[in-house]
Amino acid sequence: MAETFKDLGVCDQLVEACENLGWKNPSKIQAEVIPHALHGKDLIGLAETGSGKTGAFALPILQALLESRQAFFACVLSPTRELAIQIADQFEALGSGFGIKSIVLVGGGEAAIMDQYIKLARWRPHIIVGTPGQLLYHLSNTKGFSLRTLKYLVLDEADSLLNDEFEKSIDEILKIVPRERRTYLFSATMTRKVKKLRRVCLRNPVKIEVADKYSTVDTLEQHFCFMPIKCKDCYLVYILEKKCGISSMVFTRTGNATRFIALMLRNLGLGAISISGKMAQSRRLEALNQFKAGECNILICTNVASRGLDIPSVDMVINYDIPSNPKDYIHRVGRTARAGRPGVAISLVTDENELRTFLEIENRLGMKFPELPFKKEKVLLLKERVDEAKKISRRTIKESEDKSKNWERDDAEDEDDMDELLGVENGKSKKKMRKLI
């Protein structure tokens, strides 16, 4: 395997940019992918999370861009906003010394859309990174923006991009972009849908696989703990207090659960913060940045945080709710033990259904996880404290919801007062008058 990026054919300018980022040697996926990419091949790259996939496609794209600068040169699609932002940051970090401009197209309200509109029209970036729906929105609504000159299309976390949520948007985008282009698919797992897309949009691709379809890294310790569901929160608190101070991600099934558990843990004096798809984009990024900066060492999250996020300092992942399939498990635990570092993954199993799912995960990975030998009597010493913290958390959430309902009622009353003041009967006329006011 090549020992340096220069050995792979990366130009001196980008080799220096890699050194500035602390990238001394290429990872396995980078060493396998970059030479083929520099020779103009379409690619399918399969590797576990944390293996350096972003660098594997960013470096060849940037090298080609340095040779032929043009607007809207490459487009990278991602299933989540956070991953899109992270990919764009990587492009900017590598290309900052060469005047490379990138833009992130993700949802975030009218102000964000207007900012994106202005940048696309006036700034004309070289690299576009975004979620499929937002890219399609701008292709349909932003005057003068098209991808007719696109040279590179990347689908990162391709297996997720081909689920029901994104498949229609991806199909529409593939109809719009030029057929003459380089196409890269990257994923930790190869699914039937990824194979289908391979037939549709790649030309004689080189398939590079540096991991099995279902695999986790060797530096990851994986355990499980079996307990009655009524004791689940006590076990969670016991583990987090036992591992006090380390950086941990706790995965739950729903956004409501993330909020409740984070409140409960904070009421117990633990530095927890939550993130879920139900939160506004600004709040999600704020929570993620607080966690990355170490201001809070416990991140309670849904699967929105399981894909591709590079948070190097995560020491432990806890599956508070067992994921529904092995693929999701792999992505979750891939948040720790990254780039050769050690990490721990612990799964909390509470009933027969979760046990069956967990056994399926073990079966797919071809390994048996040891059970953590916790003494139930020690764990249950926390019960009184945990129950009190949960009670306070429920009360806090209820008060917050009641306040929100009061605000909604006040807003509705204000609108009624305005309608009465305007003395306008027709609904459309009311809207026009409000805009004037």
Side-chain angles (χ1 to χ4, degrees):
M1 189 170 77
E3 292 186 3
T4 68
F5 286 101
K6 190 170 180 62
D7 293 339
L8 300 176
V10 177
C11 67
D12 290 341
Q13 292 165 288
L14 288 172
V15 168
E16 184 178 348
C18 290
E19 289 172 354
N20 291 338
L21 290 178
W23 298 5
K24 295 180 181 177
N25 306 105
S27 67
K28 191 172 181 182
I29 187 69
Q30 290 166 351
E32 295 279 351
V33 162
I34 289 173
H36 291 294
L38 292 177
H39 282 90
K41 299 289 186 181
D42 282 6
L43 298 167
I44 298 174
L46 301 175
E48 67 269 2
T49 56
S51 59
K53 292 198 296 282
T54 304
F57 62 75
L59 287 168
I61 289 173
L62 287 170
Q63 185 149 318
L65 182 57
L66 290 176
E67 295 169 3
S68 176
R69 290 185 186 243
Q70 67 175 60
F72 312 132
F73 186 77
C75 177
V76 184
L77 294 175
S78 148
T80 69
R81 301 172 182 185
E82 288 77 16
L83 180 54
I85 292 166
Q86 180 177 290
I87 292 168
D89 287 345
Q90 195 111 100
F91 270 103
E92 287 193 7
L94 287 166
S96 60
F98 323 119
I100 302 300
K101 295 180 289 188
S102 65
I103 187 172
V104 182
L105 301 182
V106 298
E110 290 183 15
I113 290 173
M114 183 55 66
D115 181 60
Q116 293 164 19
Y117 178 91
I118 292 168
K119 284 184 177 178
L120 286 170
R122 298 180 184 174
W123 204 35
R124 296 178 61 77
H126 305 102
I127 310 291
I128 298 163
V129 187
T131 51
Q134 195 71 359
L135 174 65
L136 202 55
Y137 172 86
H138 282 289
L139 286 169
S140 304
N141 295 284
T142 299
K143 188 177 179 181
F145 170 53
S146 80
L147 294 178
R148 287 193 302 271
T149 60
L150 189 78
K151 301 301 181 188
Y152 287 83
L153 177 66
V154 182
L155 275 68
D156 196 21
E157 304 293 350
D159 55 334
S160 182
L161 285 172
L162 294 169
N163 65 24
D164 293 340
E165 182 183 356
F166 301 112
E167 191 168 10
K168 187 176 178 182
S169 296
I170 293 292
D171 288 342
E172 289 298 314
I173 290 166
L174 290 174
K175 291 175 187 175
I176 294 169
V177 296
R179 289 182 177 274
E180 292 296 325
R181 64 172 191 271
R182 298 275 68 82
T183 306
Y184 303 156
L185 303 187
F186 281 85
S187 182
T189 52
M190 172 70 89
T191 64
R192 285 191 295 273
K193 289 187 175 181
V194 173
K195 289 179 182 177
K196 176 185 172 185
L197 187 65
R198 169 185 178 173
R199 293 195 297 270
V200 172
C201 72
L202 285 87
R203 297 184 176 187
N204 301 317
V206 176
K207 181 182 174 185
I208 294 158
E209 190 169 3
V210 298
D212 296 332
K213 181 177 179 181
Y214 293 100
S215 68
T216 53
V217 295
D218 294 336
T219 54
L220 177 65
E221 289 182 32
Q222 298 174 82
H223 305 274
F224 78 98
C225 191
F226 193 71
M227 80 283 298
I229 192 166
K230 63 183 180 181
C231 302
K232 191 176 190 178
D233 292 321
C234 290
Y235 275 84
L236 173 67
V237 173
Y238 182 81
I239 292 167
L240 290 171
E241 288 191 343
K242 194 175 177 68
K243 302 282 188 179
C244 182
I246 72 168
S247 176
S248 304
M249 294 178 73
V250 180
F251 283 95
T252 71
R253 191 170 292 115
T254 69
N256 288 337
T258 63
R259 183 186 178 195
F260 177 77
I261 292 169
L263 273 172
M264 176 190 74
L265 294 176
R266 287 202 295 273
N267 288 329
L268 289 164
L270 296 167
I273 195 165
S274 66
I275 181 172
S276 74
K278 296 181 72 173
M279 296 167 62
Q281 179 65 21
S282 57
R283 288 184 59 211
R284 283 160 64 174
L285 286 175
E286 183 182 355
L288 197 57
N289 289 334
Q290 282 184 270
F291 181 63
K292 283 184 174 182
E295 295 172 23
C296 297
N297 69 306
I298 302 167
L299 183 67
I300 316 298
C301 48
T302 57
N303 278 348
V304 73
S306 70
R307 291 272 181 166
L309 296 186
D310 186 18
I311 310 171
S313 60
V314 177
D315 302 303
M316 178 170 64
V317 165
I318 298 176
N319 287 303
Y320 180 86
D321 294 317
I322 302 299
S324 57
N325 61 65
K327 184 174 67 174
D328 288 338
Y329 176 86
I330 290 167
H331 285 291
R332 285 183 180 187
V333 302
R335 299 309 96 217
T336 186
R338 296 172 73 82
R341 289 179 288 268
V344 177
I346 300 172
S347 297
L348 307 184
V349 184
T350 60
D351 57 32
E352 288 186 11
N353 288 333
E354 284 196 333
L355 183 58
R356 277 195 295 270
T357 305
F358 184 72
L359 291 174
E360 174 63 16
I361 291 168
E362 285 188 327
N363 184 49
R364 289 294 185 93
L365 290 172
M367 57 198 303
K368 287 289 181 185
F369 303 147
E371 184 172 6
L372 288 171
F374 294 146
K375 292 184 178 179
K376 186 178 177 181
E377 302 79 32
K378 278 190 175 183
V379 175
L380 292 183
L381 290 174
L382 294 167
K383 191 172 187 312
E384 188 175 339
R385 283 177 57 216
V386 170
D387 285 348
E388 181 62 23
K390 288 165 73 173
K391 189 164 82 173
I392 295 169
S393 301
R394 290 191 193 99
R395 188 166 62 239
T396 301
I397 290 172
K398 187 176 185 307
E399 288 171 356
S400 175
E401 289 173 348
D402 289 344
K403 189 180 292 184
S404 178
K405 287 176 184 176
N406 288 336
W407 285 341
E408 288 173 9
R409 189 161 51 245
D410 290 343
D411 288 343
E413 288 172 0
D414 288 344
E415 286 205 2
D416 290 341
D417 291 343
M418 181 183 287
D419 293 342
E420 187 178 339
L421 178 65
L422 294 172
V424 180
E425 293 293 330
N426 183 275
K428 291 183 179 178
S429 299
K430 289 177 183 177
K431 289 180 181 177
K432 288 180 182 177
M433 291 296 286
R434 286 194 192 106
K435 285 182 180 178
L436 290 173
I437 288 174

